[in-house]
Amino acid sequence: MSVNNTRPITPELVAEHGLNEEEYQRIVELTEREPTFTELGIWSAMWNEHCSYKSSKKWLKTLPTEGPQVVYGPGENAGVVDIGDGDVVVFKMESHNHPSFIEPYQGAATGVGGILRDVFTMGARPIAAMNALRFGEPDHPKTKHLVSGVVSGVGGYGNSFGVPTVGGEVNFHPRYNGNILVNAFAAGLAKADSIYISKAEGIGLPVVYLGAKTGRDGVGGATMASAEFDDSIEEKRPTVQVGDPFTEKCLLEACLELMATGAVIAIQDMGAAGLTCSAVEMGARGDLGVRLNLDDVPVREENMTAYEMMLSESQERMLMVLRPEKEAEAKAIFVKWNLDFAIVGETTDDLRFSIHHQGEEVANLPIKELGDEAPEYDRPWVEPGTHSPQEPHVFAPPDDYSAALLHLIGSPDLCSRRWVWEQYDTLIQGNTLQLPGGDAGVVRVEGHDTKALAFSSDVTPRYVEADAYEGGKQAVAECYRNLVATGAKPLASTDNLNFGNPEKPEIMGTFVAAIRGIGEACLALDMPIVSGNVSLYNETNGEAILPTPTIGGVGLIDDWNSMARIGSADAGDVLFLVGTEATHLSQSIYQREILGEETGPAPEVDLQMERARGEFVLAAIRSGYASACHDISDGGIAIALAEMCMASGEGATCDLAITYPHAALFGEDQARYIVAVDDEWANMFAANSEGSGVSFERIGTVGGDKLIINDLVDISVEDLKTAHESWFPNFMGQQQFADAAE
């Protein structure tokens, strides 16, 4: 064997690979000898947190994943959901947190590339992307550089590939100072009878390498993503992959063309752990062995070892099991697209993962045990504490309500994200119906006259920190409301569960409680989890991020002609509050930004009420009653009204029923919407609300050039826009492209 492969296995080397002593002893038992250096790398890649979900698997099994609309749930590259007429939507969300902190441009760019491959590996053409980004406090010395690099990376890859970015989130908090979050979402369309999965079938069939060449970038990336950061973070820079969106676009077209020939038996993206994970998953799922000859792997660097080739995470690569009679036809397609096509192995009947390099066998391992025998931990956990309710009167009211509203609308978490999304191509493909800035992104379903899909991404980490169970429910509920507010029936969801070190019982307890809340909400709102990702060890020097279980949701609009928008209200429309007066100020943006506190309980989420009010609003939109709609979330009804006024350019005069003015305006009670209704239909809307048993209040009318709320708020729409649009450009200054070019 090569010198590299005979490197002695020491306890220090085992620890460097993210394995503990018990795990290593189990590996020795399964290998039936001490592993070689290459084999140790393969075991560590398959058994790290990022690939095996060893700390979270027990709890992920409790989530609802089935429904009549679900074609494929968790376990494949992406979830697949039926949208009728022989079509399916394929979607997933995944993290690229650690790489994006180390190298923001390439980390974010390859995060986008990876999630797009997960979608088109299934046979779907990507139609939409989103991203949920969380950064440290704006004053932190690294924040501006990270924002600039990440936004440039997301745009640089997505724009070049040719997929519209239709929504997402951008938030700031000191707890992300040392560990930012970059969660990437993609969705695609496919025919229900043309879905491709990773399960290999047949013995002696060619295993084919497709796409770009293999280099040393990303070696050990999955292991790096399964560990905390410390002061040696800069040493991890070589573990970040380098992306090429133009190659990925060619790979997309070549793969879809190849699939149309019937040549593909199974196909798998080379993502985390590269060639190792893709080969093992394809073989193990099909109860087959795989034999690889690394001498046939296309490489772009000289003298690469077997270890490096097996653990490289070079981008834009696929692995496929091919019908032998289609080899010439398949190869011609990839040659035409100027991509590598190489037969690198075959399927076997011995359930072994055998790897050959330079005439020697450098690894021979039991393929099922590599995946199926990965540790599954029931980590110790403690139930998170909860806070006592706080009455609204204990919170100080502002001296000036108009000034407070202007301050909030221009604060980092509530200001316009235009600076961000204008760097993304939001209109490419020509099917985008709603730009970022509303409740959800909406894209036409090509080939249909009226059908559209809505996409939203949501979580409120400060709620999860205060009460993980309620915060988990709220993440799903807000995603549900954002879809409903466009007129979309929520179909299903994907999750990206970002937490700290699961070996700490209090963090594991927060994870368990959040999963419990997410599961209950998905069940109650009929939004099963069909795909997702867990990202743990998001800590630096022992300080964890805020718990951030991001929920990405997809909804179906039958007729986009009756779709609602945040800014489509007309002068004379009547404004209705669906829901009740707000009282909850704990953990609100008002409490944090105006009072300088983050205390108390998260708002409670009544899932039956969420569903009842959501179904009523959805019916009103689909029946043509609603000219505009917006859910009420961060900042309460005052912020929601201000956002609707800015989006439409119309003012509003409102008279709210008020007990505690600051709570009524800025409270963040759940299950609430503002609906604008044509004056002609206002009485009918009210009658339907009463008949449905849904709480509502007629709160005002649209028109004029000011937002007036009782005798508390009187601000021109222009002043609102100025405050709303100023923060991001002022914060970034001329940094928009400078950092990305460095």
Side-chain angles (χ1 to χ4, degrees):
M1 296 189 183
S2 65
V3 173
N4 176 273
N5 207 40
T6 58
R7 183 175 174 184
I9 308 301
T10 64
E12 291 75 20
L13 190 63
V14 170
E16 285 174 20
H17 282 75
L19 298 164
N20 62 38
E21 186 176 338
E22 292 77 14
E23 289 169 344
Y24 179 69
Q25 290 307 315
R26 180 60 178 152
I27 286 169
V28 171
E29 291 174 18
L30 292 171
T31 311
E32 298 182 342
R33 55 177 165 76
E34 186 176 84
T36 66
F37 180 61
T38 299
E39 289 173 334
L40 179 67
I42 290 170
W43 281 112
S44 76
M46 293 305 300
W47 281 22
N48 65 52
E49 194 75 57
H50 192 74
C51 293
S52 73
Y53 295 94
K54 58 190 177 186
S55 297
S56 57
K57 196 182 299 182
K58 169 184 168 69
W59 302 103
L60 296 177
K61 292 174 183 176
T62 67
L63 291 170
T65 60
E66 298 179 346
Q69 71 275 41
V70 178
V71 180
Y72 284 105
E76 286 300 332
N77 284 291
V80 182
V81 173
D82 189 359
I83 60 170
D85 301 310
D87 293 321
V88 293
V89 59
V90 180
F91 64 97
K92 186 183 182 182
M93 180 175 275
E94 197 161 70
S95 62
H96 233 222
N97 304 334
H98 286 54
S100 298
F101 187 77
I102 298 168
E103 178 51 63
Y105 184 93
Q106 292 296 347
T110 51
V112 174
I115 200 66
L116 290 169
R117 285 195 304 282
D118 281 338
V119 167
F120 71 75
T121 303
M122 304 284 292
R125 181 174 291 278
I127 61 165
M130 296 191 296
N131 51 82
L133 312 177
R134 287 182 167 80
F135 300 101
E137 58 190 328
D139 291 341
H140 190 274
K142 288 198 73 168
T143 298
K144 193 179 294 187
H145 165 73
L146 291 168
V147 171
S148 177
V150 166
V151 171
S152 296
V154 169
Y157 205 102
N159 297 352
S160 301
F161 179 85
V163 63
T165 300
V166 298
E169 304 173 275
V170 184
N171 293 99
F172 299 86
H173 194 280
R175 290 276 290 281
Y176 303 107
N177 281 349
N179 200 126
I180 65 173
L181 301 185
V182 175
N183 295 173
F185 170 99
L189 281 175
K191 292 296 179 183
D193 59 359
S194 299
I195 295 296
Y196 291 85
I197 58 176
S198 59
K199 180 182 177 182
E201 295 179 352
I203 297 165
L205 298 180
V207 175
V208 185
Y209 176 112
L210 308 170
K213 289 179 169 56
T214 294
R216 290 187 172 93
D217 54 316
V219 172
T223 301
M224 176 271 291
S226 305
E228 294 181 35
F229 282 154
D230 55 28
D231 293 333
S232 67
I233 186 170
E234 287 301 318
E235 298 172 12
K236 297 180 172 67
R237 192 173 296 274
T239 63
V240 178
Q241 311 94 325
V242 178
D244 180 353
F246 299 104
T247 298
E248 179 128 332
K249 174 64 172 173
C250 293
L251 184 61
L252 161 70
E253 299 299 342
C255 283
L256 295 183
E257 187 175 339
L258 177 66
M259 290 167 176
T261 69
V264 178
I265 294 175
I267 189 165
Q268 177 75 19
D269 163 43
M270 284 196 225
L275 191 54
T276 289
C277 196
S278 56
V280 169
E281 288 183 358
M282 289 176 71
R285 287 175 183 171
D287 292 323
L288 297 170
V290 173
R291 182 181 298 120
L292 296 180
N293 184 356
L294 300 186
D295 297 340
D296 296 325
V297 171
V299 294
R300 64 169 186 260
E301 299 183 48
E302 294 181 357
N303 301 318
M304 287 191 70
T305 64
Y307 179 96
E308 290 170 329
M309 280 191 269
M310 292 307 298
L311 298 188
S312 166
E313 294 183 9
S314 294
Q315 297 292 284
E316 295 87 42
R317 301 180 301 157
M318 299 281 198
L319 202 64
M320 172 183 72
V321 175
L322 173 72
R323 298 190 191 281
E325 67 275 15
K326 297 278 190 178
E327 180 184 333
E329 186 179 2
K331 184 172 183 177
I333 291 170
F334 276 76
V335 169
K336 180 183 74 173
W337 287 100
N338 198 30
L339 295 167
D340 279 296
F341 178 101
I343 296 176
V344 297
E346 64 178 354
T347 58
T348 65
D349 62 357
D350 59 5
L351 289 176
R352 303 296 294 182
F353 189 37
S354 174
I355 300 162
H356 298 259
H357 185 225
Q358 297 176 352
E360 299 179 25
E361 185 175 63
V362 294
N364 190 316
L365 298 169
I367 198 166
K368 295 285 283 185
E369 286 79 353
L370 273 168
D372 296 347
E373 292 293 326
E376 182 175 325
Y377 292 123
D378 184 2
R379 300 274 191 200
W381 58 279
V382 294
E383 189 73 41
T386 56
H387 299 269
S388 300
Q390 292 176 277
E391 293 296 324
H393 62 77
V394 307
F395 296 94
D399 296 329
D400 182 328
Y401 281 85
S402 292
L405 178 52
L406 283 171
H407 177 84
L408 290 175
I409 206 74
S411 63
D413 273 8
L414 292 179
C415 70
S416 169
R417 271 75 179 120
R418 184 184 303 275
W419 182 92
V420 174
W421 60 259
E422 283 191 342
Q423 295 184 56
Y424 306 151
D425 193 331
T426 58
L427 297 171
I428 196 164
Q429 300 185 13
N431 291 315
T432 304
L433 294 172
Q434 291 207 30
L435 293 174
D439 286 291
V442 180
V443 174
R444 271 191 295 256
V445 175
E446 203 158 297
H448 293 267
D449 292 334
T450 61
K451 191 178 289 187
L453 290 165
F455 307 99
S456 184
S457 165
D458 295 284
V459 66
T460 309
R462 64 184 185 276
Y463 293 172
V464 187
E465 174 88 340
D467 187 328
Y469 169 66
E470 291 295 339
K473 288 197 296 181
Q474 193 274 340
V476 179
E478 186 173 350
C479 189
Y480 172 87
R481 288 198 304 271
N482 280 328
L483 297 172
V484 165
T486 67
K489 176 178 173 54
L491 290 177
S493 52
T494 181
D495 58 17
N496 202 150
L497 308 175
N498 308 273
F499 288 81
N501 185 344
E503 297 168 46
K504 297 178 179 178
E506 64 276 11
I507 287 177
M508 196 66 216
T510 300
F511 180 87
V512 170
I515 286 278
R516 188 164 67 239
I518 289 168
E520 286 187 20
C522 287
L523 201 60
L525 301 176
D526 196 18
M527 289 179 66
I529 299 282
V530 298
S531 59
N533 172 248
V534 178
S535 176
L536 301 177
Y537 295 96
N538 288 288
E539 299 198 9
T540 297
N541 292 324
E543 182 173 19
I545 60 164
L546 288 176
T548 311
T550 311
I551 301 295
V554 176
L556 179 64
I557 298 174
D558 289 332
D559 184 355
W560 55 263
N561 292 294
S562 61
M563 169 182 67
R565 291 179 168 86
I566 181 178
S568 51
D570 298 315
D573 283 354
V574 176
L575 293 171
F576 285 89
L577 165 65
V578 175
T580 56
E581 179 187 351
T583 62
H584 195 96
L585 283 171
S586 297
Q587 298 297 338
S588 66
I589 291 283
Y590 172 84
Q591 185 199 36
R592 189 179 76 193
E593 294 293 329
I594 302 299
L595 304 182
E597 303 170 2
E598 290 183 80
T599 61
E604 293 185 6
V605 179
D606 184 323
L607 293 169
Q608 287 184 316
M609 192 178 295
E610 287 283 1
R611 181 150 190 165
R613 292 176 182 173
E615 288 179 345
F616 171 76
V617 170
L618 181 58
I621 293 171
R622 292 188 161 192
S623 300
Y625 285 121
S627 58
C629 184
H630 190 21
D631 93 301
I632 300 173
S633 54
D634 281 353
I637 194 171
I639 292 295
L641 286 167
E643 289 172 341
M644 293 182 79
C645 288
M646 290 185 291
S648 68
E650 296 281 351
T653 301
C654 300
D655 186 11
L656 305 179
I658 284 178
T659 304
Y660 298 106
H662 55 321
L665 264 62
F666 304 118
E668 296 180 6
D669 302 61
Q670 301 296 294
R672 301 192 304 151
Y673 303 79
I674 297 172
V675 182
V677 180
D678 188 291
D679 183 50
E680 180 183 357
W681 301 106
N683 290 336
M684 182 68 74
F685 182 87
N688 286 342
S689 299
E690 287 183 357
S692 300
V694 171
S695 300
F696 75 99
E697 180 187 346
R698 184 169 176 156
I699 61 172
T701 56
V702 176
D705 59 3
K706 290 183 174 184
L707 172 60
I708 299 171
I709 307 175
N710 296 36
D711 58 352
L712 302 170
V713 170
D714 187 333
I715 311 172
S716 72
V717 175
E718 276 305 308
D719 286 347
L720 286 171
K721 286 182 177 179
T722 299
H724 189 54
E725 296 287 349
S726 297
W727 188 86
F728 240 111
N730 289 343
F731 170 60
M732 296 305 297
Q734 299 303 310
Q735 290 291 123
Q736 182 165 346
F737 303 109
D739 283 344
E742 288 180 359

